[in-house]
Amino acid sequence: MPKSQVQAALEGKYPKEIATHIIESFIEVEQNYRLEKWKTSELDAGHFVEAVRRLIEHELQGSYTPFSTALGSFSQTVLARYESCTGAEEYRILIPRVLYAMYCVRNKRGVGHIASVIPNKLDATFILYSSKWVLSELIRLANSAAPESAKELVDQVLYKHVDLIWDDGETYMVLDSKLKAPDKALLVLYRQDRLGVEDLRTKIDYKNKTAFRKILEGLQTKRFIAITADGYCKLSPLGNQVVENLILIT
């Protein structure tokens, strides 16, 4: 997502402070989703919801709660208050109801509080694409006078990143053919740590056993992985950092 362009688009209509908080919290949601940190991604959605609620206050009431002051819980009463205001239905009804659904998932599905449902990809995906829709709608509303420009930005916000690993239970494949074997090995270990050497070699489809062993020894020398005495590979904290940087730039 072109952060500076989205920032400029939102600032054309909304206060800079609100626009900045919305964009930064959206980026946190998206990045943690790509890193498969489901709980963190869903928690970040709380910041996004709070930032957009302030935007709604600004549009419907002409002022908004300072970021230094807590908004309070999001409830049906709050929804009814928004709906009773005068103004565009996007701010009164549509966006608030999407935000409320996001808020409920974040608070009632084992994210912000202990619950029977633990944070998972399904809920995190709902959170991500709900935030994409809300941000896209805000861009559209802020750029109604330039619909083509708004469409280009919206398309980039809605862009779907392809998972780097395809694992459907039957097929396992690292999809980015440009990645070199060391990076593929680190990526697989990030998804499923503590794998046997042969299992790891199979997952990245590397043919030469001797050469692959040398690759792993090189990664161990760099302190990216550890190879245990019984032949298992473990990703180190340093290796974890390397993989996360790789995922975010790919």
Side-chain angles (χ1 to χ4, degrees):
M1 182 186 76
K3 179 180 177 181
S4 59
Q5 291 177 260
V6 174
Q7 179 90 31
L10 294 183
E11 284 183 22
K13 181 174 177 60
Y14 312 119
K16 179 178 180 179
E17 180 185 36
I18 294 180
T20 298
H21 279 285
I22 288 174
I23 293 169
E24 289 181 350
S25 57
F26 173 80
I27 290 173
E28 289 174 349
V29 170
E30 186 175 47
Q31 288 186 344
N32 281 303
Y33 182 89
R34 294 192 65 200
L35 296 174
E36 300 186 7
K37 297 181 177 181
W38 312 132
K39 182 175 183 178
T40 307
S41 180
E42 293 176 52
L43 279 171
D44 290 335
H47 297 159
F48 181 82
V49 169
E50 289 186 2
V52 180
R53 283 183 61 191
R54 287 176 167 85
L55 182 147
I56 290 171
E57 288 180 343
H58 178 267
E59 289 302 303
L60 298 181
Q61 302 165 192
S63 62
Y64 62 92
T65 305
F67 282 92
S68 58
T69 303
L71 279 174
S73 61
F74 198 179
S75 64
Q76 294 285 348
T77 302
V78 174
L79 285 177
R81 186 167 68 245
Y82 291 152
E83 189 168 349
S84 67
C85 293
T86 57
E89 68 176 13
E90 289 88 350
Y91 299 119
R92 296 188 302 107
I93 302 172
L94 300 180
I95 293 174
R97 291 184 181 183
V98 174
L99 294 178
Y100 185 64
M102 294 171 65
Y103 176 86
C104 289
V105 169
R106 186 235 185 238
N107 278 20
K108 301 179 183 297
R109 301 276 284 189
V111 180
H113 308 282
I114 295 174
S116 58
V117 179
I118 63 173
N120 57 79
K121 185 174 183 178
L122 178 63
D123 288 351
T125 300
F126 168 77
I127 290 289
L128 173 65
Y129 283 92
S130 294
S131 63
K132 280 177 176 282
W133 182 87
V134 169
L135 179 56
S136 298
E137 188 69 358
L138 294 177
I139 292 171
R140 185 188 68 79
L141 291 166
N143 292 266
S144 57
E148 286 304 314
S149 176
K151 182 181 182 303
E152 290 178 7
L153 284 179
V154 166
D155 287 344
Q156 292 182 68
V157 170
L158 296 177
Y159 173 78
K160 181 180 179 180
H161 292 280
V162 176
D163 290 341
L164 292 176
I165 292 178
W166 175 27
D167 179 14
D168 63 0
E170 180 180 25
T171 301
Y172 193 101
M173 185 184 297
V174 178
L175 295 177
D176 191 340
S177 60
K178 296 179 182 178
L179 290 179
K180 296 182 179 180
D183 289 333
K184 289 182 179 180
L186 293 175
L187 183 63
V188 170
L189 288 173
Y190 182 83
R191 172 73 72 88
Q192 184 183 351
D193 201 9
R194 192 175 172 79
L195 286 173
V197 171
E198 282 303 295
D199 192 8
L200 181 55
R201 184 181 67 82
T202 300
K203 285 182 180 297
I204 73 166
D205 193 27
Y206 199 89
K207 305 302 182 185
N208 191 309
K209 294 183 179 181
T210 303
F212 184 65
R213 183 74 191 195
K214 290 182 179 179
I215 288 172
L216 294 182
E217 289 172 353
L219 291 173
Q220 182 168 241
T221 299
K222 293 179 179 179
R223 301 293 189 266
F224 293 165
I225 69 168
I227 306 173
T228 66
D230 53 352
Y232 285 90
C233 300
K234 301 189 300 181
L235 191 65
S236 74
L238 181 58
N240 189 85
Q241 183 179 13
V242 169
V243 179
E244 291 188 349
N245 289 336
L246 174 67
I247 291 171
L248 294 178
I249 65 174
T250 301

